[in-house]
Amino acid sequence: MRPFEDVVAEHGPTVLRVCRAVIGPVDAEDAWSETFLSALRAYPDLPADANVEAWLVTIAHRRALDVGRANARRPAPVDAVPERPAVRGDPADGHPELWAALEALPTKQRQAVAYHHIAGLPFAEIAGLLGNSPDAARRACADGLKKLRSLYREESLP
């Protein structure tokens, strides 16, 4: 079995992109860390022929939802109420408009797009993650891409 450090180095960027797509760039690093902590505990028992990337994306999906739920329950004190809502985007990636458009998608569409186009998972595996059929996962992905294209074009135009 490969050293776990090699698994993190190889699949870490994909897991981070999936976490960002599922819960946004602000909480993605927490979900990424939780994913690899959980994976480290289970890695010794992983079958040798397992699809490691799909396994990690499944864990990332669950951990991202957990982190999102935990953060949603936690109050966020502020000194003053902002005049306008803050824009959630990761300035480090250079595409805050794309992340904002992705966040605007309905949950299942956003997740289907992320799992298929970022993590490269087939629709049969996405269906298992989303709790629907492969056809429904394919439809959610297609609808999500269509809406993402229209949102991103609208927001990125001057």
Side-chain angles (χ1 to χ4, degrees):
M1 187 171 280
R2 293 180 357 178
F4 191 71
E5 294 82 14
D6 293 349
V7 172
V8 173
E10 181 179 345
H11 300 291
T14 299
V15 169
L16 182 59
R17 286 191 301 271
V18 167
C19 291
R20 280 181 172 180
V22 172
I23 61 170
V26 174
D27 299 322
E29 288 185 17
D30 290 339
W32 184 91
S33 298
E34 292 292 326
T35 296
F36 283 105
L37 284 173
S38 296
L40 178 61
R41 290 183 200 109
Y43 187 66
D45 299 326
L46 189 66
D49 63 342
N51 180 338
V52 176
E53 186 173 53
W55 175 70
L56 287 170
V57 167
T58 301
I59 296 171
H61 166 78
R62 293 178 183 144
R63 291 297 142 295
L65 293 176
D66 290 346
V67 167
R69 284 185 205 117
N71 289 342
R73 289 188 300 262
R74 199 171 300 129
V78 295
D79 292 333
V81 177
E83 290 183 26
R84 60 188 171 98
V87 176
R88 286 185 73 187
D90 187 0
D93 70 12
H95 301 285
E97 300 88 7
L98 178 58
W99 287 113
L102 191 59
E103 285 180 335
L105 294 178
T107 302
K108 286 205 177 189
Q109 288 179 8
R110 181 178 66 246
Q111 291 172 346
V113 168
Y115 298 149
H116 186 69
H117 292 284
I118 295 174
L121 294 181
F123 291 113
E125 289 184 32
I126 295 169
L129 290 170
L130 299 181
N132 57 19
S133 69
D135 288 338
R138 182 183 314 276
R139 180 81 254 161
C141 186
D143 291 347
L145 277 178
K146 182 178 179 182
K147 185 166 184 163
L148 184 61
R149 284 183 184 114
S150 70
L151 289 172
Y152 186 58
R153 283 189 190 126
E154 289 173 12
E155 290 181 10
S156 61
L157 293 175

